[in-house]
Amino acid sequence: MNTKYFKYLFMGLSVASLTGCNDWLEEETPGITRLDDYFNTGSQSAAESIVNAAYTPLQWDFGSTYCAEWFIGDIASDDALKGGQNIADGGDYYDIDNFKVQADNDMLLNYWRAQWTGISRANLAINKLPELKADDLTEALRTRLLAEAHFLRAFYYFRLVRVFGGMPIVDYIVDSSNKWYPVRASVDDCYDFIVADLEEAEKGLALKSAMGPDGLGRATKGAAQAMLMKVALYRKDYPTAKSWGEKVVKSGEYDLFGDYYDNFTLPGENGIESVFEIQYMEDDMSDYGGFGFTRGTFTQILTRSRSNNLGGGWGFNRPTQNLYDEYEPADPRREMTILTPSPADMTNEAEETYCGNTYISKKQGWYNKDNTFSALAHHSRGPLNNRQIRFSDVLLMYAEALTEVGTAADLATAKTLLNRVRSRVGLAPFPYSATIQKTTKTFTDTQADLRAAIRHERRVELGMEGHRWFDLVRWGIAKQTMDAYIAQENDEAKQQWGTFVEGKNEVFPIPTQELQLGKLTQNPNY
């Protein structure tokens, strides 16, 4: 958040607080609703609107530049290259791709501001909903809406912490400039805060099956439990992660689609495999405005092939050869994740080749299984939801936790969960041998190989869905993996590569404009 958002949020209050010698300066401006008055005279509709507003920043992927999280989760990792028309297209993303990023990176600034706006709106709901007096607002609904706000605040904080490290803990309404910012808290303190919010959310949220059609896209009990498991994995608290994973899996609320690719279609949105996803819709009245200007997403046009034969997009987020080679030859997910255009598909081969790479991210480009595509109602925005947590992700996180706990019974259950994901796409159960990275890899029936097999499965099951970078960091293998990856890249890609510094590049710099607001300190070595 910056002073611009602060100004817009509180400009009504500032007008009412002006004082002076003249009587007219003491008169309240007609039509101004004070914050306390709104919550004293609100209604059920008002309560729902406040919480709905806290969901909205999840959708924001364009402010003054594009700031979808996959610009970090995919292209910072070994799964994707920046792409675009050429090397110069998208300097902010180039720097993230090649570990040359600086604090003046606008992509990071916009990402930061979107999350902090979400936190601000969640704080408004958490602090004021208990005071809302409305005859038509039941206590059951108030409880659920408060739980959703707690979930959202935790979700935004989690996104910030894993990108930037420790954040200021702000659990109140910022209604004056001297309340912004407190100092940064530690990562552990932030995770304590996130867990407390998620536990509060889990108590008050409804099951997905109880939400009904009007509740699609809202946070549910299963989403809070899945996030509690994920946070526990980040903290290497494997018994706690195991406990939360068991709750999600045994709830009976979720299952795998029979067809893997149903996850990346409009009919598959909010389906049986969806634990939490960011909602988008077709918006033919969209434009190229920034935060809050549309209900669609830029991701489809950003990631589609630049060829008019394949959607006429902008060609960002190109899957690497390394990701392609990670798939077993018989794994159908490779062709469902990576579109390989033929020479006939390409209308301008020079523009459609980036560092020798012509692969296209198929899932987020809103392609059909046969590589046909739907026209966008407006060129700038697409309608496909962003699947943040799928049930297969939950199964693999749960399997990971069980593997690290490591009892014989836990290892047996972890194998069952891993094989459930593999059997959906017709692959052999663990333990197995397969061609991976063009060599034969044998996973034996040991804890170490089960761990390696689960990590492999996460990469291919969730490829190009924005998870890979964050997995590498939390496993503590980011540097060794990225150094090994770039060593086998083509010469053109190697020429762009910066230096990965361990202890620095696992997080990104605090944006300069945010540092200038006052009390924040920069991450080490930036």
Side-chain angles (χ1 to χ4, degrees), residues 447-498:
Q447 182 186 31
D449 275 5
L450 180 56
R451 178 186 297 115
I454 290 169
R455 291 181 179 185
H456 160 75
E457 203 65 29
R458 281 191 64 81
R459 189 179 187 191
V460 294
E461 170 69 22
L462 303 171
M464 303 305 294
E465 296 179 48
H467 295 275
R468 176 65 172 173
W469 169 251
F470 302 111
D471 280 347
L472 293 177
V473 172
R474 71 182 178 84
W475 290 331
I477 60 172
K479 179 172 174 56
Q480 68 190 69
T481 301
M482 297 307 296
D483 285 352
Y485 153 67
I486 198 62
Q488 55 80 57
E489 256 291 3
N490 64 61
D491 289 341
E492 190 177 355
K494 285 180 183 177
Q495 290 173 9
Q496 311 306 323
W497 186 253

Side-chain angles (χ1 to χ4, degrees), residues 323-352:
L323 175 60
Y324 187 93
D325 292 340
E326 185 75 12
Y327 288 90
E328 300 161 50
D331 191 341
R333 291 173 296 189
R334 182 176 66 185
E335 308 309 318
M336 297 180 192
T337 301
I338 302 172
L339 190 159
T340 307
S342 68
D345 289 327
M346 291 188 282
T347 53
N348 186 332
E349 188 170 353
E351 276 195 7
E352 294 159 34

Side-chain angles (χ1 to χ4, degrees), residues 15-22 25-26:
V15 168
S17 66
L18 289 172
T19 59
C21 313
N22 297 320
L25 284 174
E26 298 176 1

Side-chain angles (χ1 to χ4, degrees), residues 167-220:
M167 290 286 104
I169 294 177
V170 181
D171 60 357
Y172 48 84
I173 299 168
V174 180
D175 54 6
S176 69
S177 59
N178 61 16
K179 291 184 179 180
W180 192 260
Y181 275 115
V183 297
R184 294 177 70 179
S186 69
V187 170
D188 275 345
D189 285 346
C190 287
Y191 279 141
D192 285 343
F193 182 66
I194 290 166
V195 167
D197 259 349
L198 289 172
E199 288 178 342
E200 186 69 21
E202 194 268 344
K203 289 188 296 185
L205 288 172
L207 294 170
K208 182 179 179 181
S209 59
M211 294 296 288
D214 292 340
L216 290 179
R218 291 188 176 277
T220 62

Side-chain angles (χ1 to χ4, degrees), residues 63-204:
S64 60
T65 190
Y66 310 107
C67 55
E69 193 175 56
W70 52 258
F71 278 116
I72 300 169
D74 288 338
I75 70 169
S77 79
D78 51 350
D79 273 5
L81 294 170
K82 171 186 74 72
Q85 184 176 11
N86 50 43
I87 294 294
D89 187 8
D92 291 335
Y93 322 125
Y94 170 88
D95 288 347
I96 290 171
D97 190 8
N98 295 290
F99 295 98
K100 299 178 180 180
V101 68
Q102 300 296 322
D104 60 355
N105 187 288
D106 280 343
M107 183 269 158
L108 294 175
L109 175 64
N110 280 269
Y111 182 80
W112 170 287
R113 288 177 172 174
Q115 313 319 310
W116 273 109
T117 303
I119 290 169
S120 174
R121 293 182 179 190
N123 278 335
L124 182 64
I126 291 167
N127 282 274
K128 288 297 184 179
L129 277 178
E131 303 173 6
L132 183 62
K133 297 178 176 64
D135 292 338
D136 59 347
L137 178 62
T138 66
E139 286 308 307
L141 179 58
R142 190 197 306 267
T143 297
R144 197 201 79 202
L145 290 173
L146 275 168
E148 289 183 33
H150 279 286
F151 174 88
L152 290 167
R153 185 169 69 181
F155 195 85
Y156 289 120
Y157 259 105
F158 179 74
R159 289 180 128 193
L160 286 167
V161 169
R162 66 180 188 169
V163 173
F164 298 106
M167 290 286 104
I169 294 177
V170 181
D171 60 357
Y172 48 84
I173 299 168
V174 180
D175 54 6
S176 69
S177 59
N178 61 16
K179 291 184 179 180
W180 192 260
Y181 275 115
V183 297
R184 294 177 70 179
S186 69
V187 170
D188 275 345
D189 285 346
C190 287
Y191 279 141
D192 285 343
F193 182 66
I194 290 166
V195 167
D197 259 349
L198 289 172
E199 288 178 342
E200 186 69 21
E202 194 268 344
K203 289 188 296 185

